[in-house]
Amino acid sequence: MMGSDSSSSPYDLAVVGAGHNGLVTAAYAARSGLRVVVLEARERVGGACVTEEPWPGFRVSTAAYVVSLFRPEIVRDLALTRHGYAVLRRDPSSFTPLPDGRSLLLGPDAARNHEEVARFSMQDAVRLPQYEAMLDRISRVLEPVLLETPPDPFSRRPTDLLRVARLGLRFLRLGSDGPRAVEILTGAARPFLERWFESDVLKATLATDAIIGAVASPSTPGTAYVLFHHVMGQVNGVRGVWGYVRGGMGNLSEALAAAARAAGAEIRTAARVERVLLRGGAARGVVLGDGTEIAARRVASCADARVTLLGLVGEAHLAPEVVQAVKGIDYSSASLKINLALSELPSFIARPGHSPGPQHRGTVHISPSLEYLESAFDDARRGIPSSEPILEITLPSAVDDTLAPAGQHVMQMFVQYAPSRLADGTWDDQKEAFADRCLEVLESYAPGVRRSVIAREVLSPLDLERRFGLTGGNIFQGAMTLSQLFFLRPFAGAARYRTPVPDLYLCGAATHPGGGVMGACGYNAAREILRDVRRGTSDDSWLLRHSALP
Ligand SMILES: Cc1cc2nc3c(=O)[nH]c(=O)nc-3n(C[C@H](O)[C@H](O)[C@H](O)COP(=O)(O)OP(=O)(O)OC[C@H]3O[C@@H](n4cnc5c(N)ncnc54)[C@H](O)[C@@H]3O)c2cc1C
């Protein structure tokens, strides 16, 4: 237990935003004895990891909808299961229906996967477990990096250089997997998958992980990493598996909030931070929308880097090169979410039946071939919503009876590509027509589904920005491309959770290791904040000395 580090401010740490990462930072800081206050603009905690009830009796995971990446260390440390967090395993985890009436089910059961894939290619059925084993070996070596503060080779500090060397040594442990790991970190998903597999349906199903949240096709360099990022997680100790949080994603955030409160943190909702309070150039608290000043020795923000630095601090208080670096962050986006209340589960031509079956338990992929993915992206490249959109559909009420009235269901459609920058018109004008198109596409695989819709809400990239404060609607608080990962996240020179403003930290998905409900950003940020508290410094001069800023 660390004593609080100032008696002059009522709080040692003010956290801007009760996104799940902000809550993780708050909980760890409070457990270490800091006096912590969390200030959330919305009426409820969770940010993009939230459950809401848009229609009486229907509880939807408004934004994020499946969990796997969330760090087991945090579940254990914060005793989250005692605070109500439970994950429902999805078996099977995916269902890809094809226009010709065939389909592919995949899941954690290797024998069943073999049977399913063998219907398309015996060679692929044999290779799938080898592919999964290869990813598993690489992720075992690289996964520890998720909970580390990235060393910055350009700082030329001996400690950083030593850590870069250690990282290199770790890489050497990959042996013959090393070249594949390099391709995963830098290459495109499509050629990678094409070297492993021959059946289109399998490649297309696996490739959807590579383009989630990205403005990229599977042929774009960098997408192999996005694919890998999505297989690094685990559910109840089983790797690569995605689950549902019982009660919706918000139950994880509520469990984190309960753990933070139990450790002494104060959480205020409907408390929008207007600006960071600066004294002598350092962060000394926040000012709320109603003018209330909240003094704090340090401030951590889980809003994205642009919102935090350009919005809450302001250009006038930042060096021009920092402003330029923040303005250079890629926030482009092409994701849209449709949440629906249904009177019954969809019945698919490829696997008929309205009663809950294996086809309803996992993610339903409407992405039948690699060419389908590519041509959906061709539209987006021109600023046009995909005429044949990629749909990732979840029906969590098929396995969780707490989400909808008996016999009725919730359906969540994560849709690509819906380019944030449209060639014509605005998303407010176009989103309902695009949602109609998405349902029309689904109707061709599951006739009658449109008739079963009781209610729907459509969240365009513009809505994601307005509702969750995500710049450009980017679901990861900044694109997950190589130039914005690791020591380059959120921008070169600022990857150590500290910002150019002394005593102001970033703790959200804007930081390493990036987007997804992982908790890792908040965990790492808490470690760095506590390190500074222990040392009695804010380590504030490093960025000014930094050589890598443009
Ligand atoms: C549509 C969508 C689908 C996704 N699907 C998945 C998925 O299935 N699985 C997965 O793992 N990840 C998914 N993600 C990504 C994941 O949800 C995010 O990366 C993650 O939730 C980010 O958490 P965070 O705590 O870092 O930030 P956020 O959740 O962005 O939280 C930031 C918080 O700060 C608050 N805030 C901002 N400005 C202020 C201010 N001025 N004052 C006070 N509060 C402020 C916001 O209201 C928000 O609560 C999805 C994201 C979206 C948008």
Side-chain angles (χ1 to χ4, degrees):
M1 162 85 65
M2 186 180 298
S4 65
D5 77 340
S6 160
S7 52
S8 58
S9 295
Y11 297 107
D12 299 309
L13 182 68
V15 178
V16 182
H20 81 285
N21 275 312
L23 294 168
V24 169
T25 299
Y28 276 93
R31 270 161 51 101
S32 298
L34 300 198
R35 293 161 304 176
V36 179
V37 62
V38 182
L39 302 150
E40 167 56 46
R42 301 196 70 215
E43 301 283 335
R44 61 181 74 226
V45 299
C49 180
V50 71
T51 308
E52 293 175 290
E53 194 170 329
W55 315 287
F58 292 92
R59 292 161 56 76
V60 301
S61 292
T62 313
Y65 50 100
V66 278
V67 72
S68 168
L69 304 167
F70 195 76
R71 299 307 310 168
E73 295 84 347
I74 303 174
V75 177
R76 196 184 50 229
D77 288 352
L78 302 183
L80 294 185
T81 44
R82 260 200 279 138
H83 292 293
Y85 173 58
V87 181
L88 302 169
R89 202 161 163 253
R90 305 184 318 157
D91 184 7
S93 53
S94 78
F95 170 62
T96 310
L98 297 179
D100 65 8
R102 293 182 300 162
S103 65
L104 175 69
L105 281 167
L106 291 175
D109 184 328
R112 253 191 288 159
N113 287 347
H114 182 94
E115 240 173 71
E116 281 285 318
V117 177
R119 293 192 291 117
F120 295 91
S121 158
M122 183 49 82
Q123 182 186 305
D124 287 0
V126 172
R127 297 209 80 186
L128 183 60
Q130 296 167 0
Y131 166 85
E132 288 172 338
M134 176 272 302
L135 288 180
D136 187 53
R137 286 194 302 275
I138 296 176
S139 78
R140 273 174 205 283
V141 172
L142 297 186
E143 208 178 284
V145 174
L146 297 178
L147 291 188
E148 290 173 9
T149 299
D152 184 349
F154 296 109
S155 75
R156 302 205 188 113
R157 284 182 305 200
T159 46
D160 279 35
L161 293 176
L162 192 67
R163 290 186 52 222
V164 172
R166 279 209 203 107
L167 209 61
L169 284 176
R170 203 185 284 167
F171 224 83
L172 289 182
R173 287 217 311 268
L174 284 167
S176 59
D177 287 327
R180 286 176 180 146
V182 171
E183 185 179 13
I184 283 173
L185 295 178
T186 60
R190 182 171 186 160
F192 183 71
L193 289 169
E194 279 185 331
R195 270 202 303 287
W196 276 92
F197 304 114
E198 60 183 13
S199 61
D200 214 15
V201 60
L202 178 61
K203 286 183 281 190
T205 303
L206 298 175
T208 52
D209 271 349
I211 50 136
I212 291 268
V215 188
S217 87
S219 299
T220 312
T223 48
Y225 176 74
V226 183
L227 186 151
F228 182 66
H229 187 84
H230 284 97
V231 300
M232 273 196 285
Q234 48 183 282
V235 163
N236 302 335
V238 185
R239 276 166 174 278
V241 174
W242 288 75
Y244 292 127
V245 176
R246 182 187 282 283
M249 293 296 285
N251 270 17
L252 169 55
S253 300
E254 294 293 347
L256 286 166
R261 284 197 191 98
E266 192 184 321
I267 300 173
R268 299 191 205 170
T269 53
R272 174 173 294 282
V273 171
E274 197 64 32
R275 63 186 168 89
V276 171
L277 198 59
L278 298 173
R279 298 258 189 267
R284 288 291 174 262
V286 295
V287 182
L288 301 186
D290 63 5
T292 310
E293 285 193 7
I294 296 176
R297 179 73 188 80
R298 290 177 165 79
V299 176
S301 171
C302 96
D304 69 34
R306 194 177 169 106
V307 167
T308 304
L309 290 169
L310 301 191
L312 303 182
V313 173
E315 287 191 30
H317 303 286
L318 298 167
E321 63 270 26
V322 172
V323 173
Q324 194 189 334
V326 176
K327 286 186 173 168
I329 298 173
D330 177 4
Y331 287 109
S332 55
S333 167
S335 308
L336 177 141
K337 183 92 189 290
I338 310 173
N339 298 314
L340 305 102
L342 300 185
S343 59
E344 61 183 359
L345 286 169
S347 171
F348 295 91
I349 293 170
R351 233 185 149 104
H354 292 288
S355 308
Q359 69 277 27
H360 299 119
R361 283 185 217 133
T363 300
V364 181
H365 293 275
I366 304 296
S367 55
S369 69
L370 280 174
E371 274 320 305
Y372 186 97
L373 296 171
E374 298 282 358
S375 72
F377 182 63
D378 285 343
D379 290 336
R381 212 196 304 265
R382 289 178 285 125
I384 299 169
S386 304
S387 58
E388 302 286 336
I390 300 159
L391 310 177
E392 291 232 343
I393 297 161
T394 44
L395 299 147
S397 52
V399 295
D400 181 351
D401 61 10
T402 68
L403 301 177
Q408 300 184 321
H409 289 276
V410 297
M411 178 162 83
Q412 302 161 163
M413 290 171 109
F414 184 82
V415 182
Q416 286 187 193
Y417 299 90
S420 51
R421 279 183 227 110
L422 287 170
D424 278 318
T426 69
W427 269 113
D428 286 341
D429 300 334
Q430 297 203 18
K431 67 177 185 178
E432 295 299 335
F434 184 58
D436 288 343
R437 175 67 194 136
C438 294
L439 279 167
E440 194 183 351
V441 169
L442 180 58
E443 181 84 15
S444 64
Y445 291 84
V449 68
R450 281 185 298 192
R451 221 182 32 237
S452 69
V453 175
I454 300 168
R456 77 179 190 196
E457 67 170 351
V458 187
L459 295 169
S460 73
L462 193 58
D463 296 316
L464 293 175
E465 175 157 2
R466 288 178 189 142
R467 196 181 291 197
F468 299 109
L470 295 165
T471 301
N474 186 289
I475 71 162
F476 295 137
Q477 292 198 357
M480 296 281 289
T481 40
L482 193 59
S483 59
Q484 293 190 173
L485 288 174
F486 202 44
F487 67 88
L488 301 174
R489 191 167 186 87
F491 56 89
R496 290 158 29 87
Y497 305 93
R498 297 161 184 90
T499 73
V501 178
D503 295 322
L504 174 65
Y505 301 78
L506 287 173
C507 64
T511 61
H512 167 76
V517 176
M518 270 190 282
C521 306
Y523 178 94
N524 293 345
R527 184 184 56 240
E528 294 304 319
I529 292 165
L530 293 169
R531 193 170 278 166
D532 285 354
V533 169
R534 216 174 288 123
R535 286 181 188 148
T537 68
S538 67
D539 199 13
D540 47 24
S541 59
W542 75 274
L543 203 128
L544 303 175
R545 292 195 311 267
H546 204 275
S547 57
L549 279 172

